[in-house]
Structure formats: C-alpha cells, structure tokens
Amino acid sequence: MRVLGIDPGLTRCGVGVVEGSIGRPLSLVDVGVVRTSTELHVAHRLRELEVGLEEWLDRTRPDAVAVERVFSRSAVSTVMGTAQASGVAMLVAARRGLPVALHTPSEVKAAVTGNGRADKAQVGAMVARLLRLDAVPKPADAADSLALAICHVWRGGASDRIAAALEKQVAARTRGVRP
Amino acid sequence: MRVLGIDPGLTRCGVGVVEGSIGRPLSLVDVGVVRTSTELHVAHRLRELEVGLEEWLDRTRPDAVAVERVFSRSAVSTVMGTAQASGVAMLVAARRGLPVALHTPSEVKAAVTGNGRADKAQVGAMVARLLRLDAVPKPADAADSLALAICHVWRGGASDRIAAALEKQVAARTRGVRP
C-alpha cells in the first residue's frame, strides 16, 4: 500500500509518500514540501496549495492519504491557516475517492517511536531508520509527513475500509460534479 | 455588483447573494444553506460543501465573494470544522478568479446595524428591512450570509481591487492546472 502523509500548513505543507505493508520493510517514494507565498491573500494561498497537492497526487498515485489532525486548543496564531490547509488536503483526496484518515500527533509519535511524547529529533531519527535513509529529511514538516504515512501503513487497514464504504455512499451524490 | 456572502459551517453553511452598489437600493438574488451529512467523514463533508458551493456560483454568478472570518479564540468544538469549511469556500472562489474578502462578525454587525455588538435578531431585522423582505430569512446562518454580502457591497470596493491585482499575479502560476 502506498500512503501520502500530509502535515498541513500554509507556509510549508509537508508531503511524504511511503510504500509498505504491515510486517514488511517500508520504502520511501518521495518527500518534500508544498510552499505558498506569504504575500498572497489566504484564498490564493489555499489555491496554490490545492495545485501543489494535486501535482503530488498525480505523480505519486497513493492508495490512501493520511492528514495530521489539527486541534483548536493550540493558541498559535497560525492555527486557523493550518486548519484551512488541512481542509484543502482532505478535500483534494476525497474528490479523487481516496480514503482519508486523520491521525493525532501523539498517535503518530507513538506509532513511529513507541512514545506518544517523543520530540521532533526522535521522530526524525526513527523515520530515517525505518526508511533506511542516510539523513533525517528536512525541514521537520517533511519528516513529520513521512511519520504520518508510516503510522497510517501500520494503523490504516481498518479505517481505510470504513472510509472506502463511506466514499461509495457519497460518490452517488457528487458523481459527475467536477469543479 | 453582485456579492455571494458565505457564513461557513459544515452542518449548515449560509449562502446569500445580494445585488447592489453604494448609495443605491440593495436587492436579494437568492439565499439558502448548503448542508452536509453529519454521519460522513469530514473529508467527504468538505467535498459535499465544495459541490454545493460550486452550484451556487454556477447559478448566481457573483462578482465577488465575502466569507466570515473565523477566530481560534472560540472554544467551541466545531471551530476546526468551521475553519475547514471557510478554507473550502475561499478556495472555490479563488479558483474562479473571484475577489475574496474576509469580514469579522463585528464588522458585519457594524455595517448592517451600526452596532458592532448587535444581536442576531437585530441583524436579521436590518437584513430584512434593507432587502425589503416580508420576513427574516431562516435559519440564522442564511440571514448572516446576507449581512456579510451587504457589508461587502458597502465596504468591498477597495479590497476587491487589491484582491483582483493579486489574483492576476497568482493566475500566471496556477493557470491551466484544474483538478
């Protein structure tokens, strides 16, 4: 199974694609970030993000998409932009009929390092080891997107089947309506 | 000028279209809500919302779109869904090259009633009076979307010109890339 992990953000949106299945070695397909221009209105930044994510989906053809769950508890001023970016990420995947799963940061950390409160360095180091990379992918958003994808490979089976069933249900309603 | 006001939400997204210009009477084009199914995964709800908003844009052909600005200060559990819905609303408009403006709830209340802390009933009553309607549109999300559109007609000129200039700038980057 090939999973695209998305660490949502307006300035840097981490995107990482991993191939693997439970009990088998994982491999890196590609990793990077989609950036949008800080000088643009948020509406245009969301549009740039959509175009960037569509390119990643076209090129890497994942079977499922995993997006980091955003919480409102965060007092960070960027949380609204992050939430909007996560909305665009989910929308783009749903439009293609791909299963979409949300994983919390602590679920991802626990899956990859065994510790739900691991720090960024520990997560990065485990991602590099699991994918047999020479170095931790930079920036941190890129490494986080790979951790999300790995978490989904290991946790994703059941939630994907539920999502696929729901997708069939909604497909009838939105079929043929393409923007 | 014809403005589509959007009061973002996942369960009920208010949509109201107003025609008018500064110093002239306003008129109602159409008003309603786009609803999405609470039993679906948020990714599919965002897709339903996109389809619904596309239908409104196709049918009513606004010159500009005004979206209510969402704040993270709100402790309400629905704030993430509201932020994601607002992201989809802005995206859909930006993709069409329409100017998108954000107005805060207090800007909208002040524009329509003269009081930035007016309650829902006062806003609804003024919307009905300004548009010469027999009754306040229901639900409140629908009335709020009309208030947003009216606010934008009265405040929108300058911000639309800025948005249009930025849109030209970004169009070169995203041209021809359609999902």
Side-chain angles (χ1 to χ4, degrees), chain B residues 26-65:
Chain B
L26 299 157
S27 64
L28 172 70
V29 177
D30 201 357
V31 64
V33 287
V34 175
R35 292 173 197 272
T36 75
S37 326
T38 51
E39 79 269 22
L40 290 182
H41 186 284
V42 60
H44 294 295
R45 301 184 75 181
L46 293 169
R47 171 60 178 149
E48 284 195 330
L49 178 61
E50 179 187 46
V51 171
L53 292 176
E54 288 280 354
E55 284 169 353
W56 273 82
L57 288 165
D58 282 341
R59 189 161 47 76
T60 64
R61 299 271 158 205
D63 304 305
V65 174

Side-chain angles (χ1 to χ4, degrees), chain B:
Chain B
M1 125 183 261
R2 182 175 282 206
V3 177
L4 169 62
I6 300 178
D7 183 23
L10 268 184
T11 302
R12 285 183 310 277
C13 180
V15 274
V17 185
V18 166
E19 181 111 28
S21 53
I22 295 168
R24 291 203 183 174
L26 299 157
S27 64
L28 172 70
V29 177
D30 201 357
V31 64
V33 287
V34 175
R35 292 173 197 272
T36 75
S37 326
T38 51
E39 79 269 22
L40 290 182
H41 186 284
V42 60
H44 294 295
R45 301 184 75 181
L46 293 169
R47 171 60 178 149
E48 284 195 330
L49 178 61
E50 179 187 46
V51 171
L53 292 176
E54 288 280 354
E55 284 169 353
W56 273 82
L57 288 165
D58 282 341
R59 189 161 47 76
T60 64
R61 299 271 158 205
D63 304 305
V65 174
V67 182
E68 184 169 301
R69 191 185 288 278
V70 183
F71 290 103
S72 59
R73 265 175 274 156
S74 165
V76 179
S77 66
T78 56
V79 71
M80 287 294 108
T82 306
Q84 288 158 349
S86 79
V88 169
M90 288 191 274
L91 172 68
V92 166
R95 204 160 54 199
R96 294 189 177 219
L98 293 173
V100 181
L102 299 173
H103 300 294
T104 66
S106 57
E107 283 168 352
V108 173
K109 288 172 185 171
V112 173
T113 70
N115 171 9
R117 292 187 288 180
D119 63 22
K120 289 219 173 272
Q122 289 172 298
V123 171
M126 277 305 295
V127 164
R129 188 194 289 184
L130 290 163
L131 297 173
R132 298 174 307 283
L133 309 176
D134 295 332
V136 176
K138 296 269 168 69
D141 315 77
D144 285 349
S145 69
L146 291 172
L148 260 163
I150 293 168
C151 171
H152 190 72
V153 168
W154 288 345
R155 293 178 51 123
S159 60
D160 277 1
R161 284 192 293 277
I162 295 165
L166 284 169
E167 202 283 320
K168 274 188 194 156
Q169 192 180 326
V170 83
R173 294 185 214 171
T174 57
R175 189 165 292 140
V177 190
R178 297 278 292 176

Side-chain angles (χ1 to χ4, degrees), chain A residues 50 54 91-97 178-179, chain B residues 47 50 95 179:
Chain A
E50 178 187 45
E54 288 280 356
L91 171 67
V92 165
R95 204 159 55 199
R96 294 189 177 219
R178 296 277 293 176
Chain B
R47 171 60 178 149
E50 179 187 46
R95 204 160 54 199

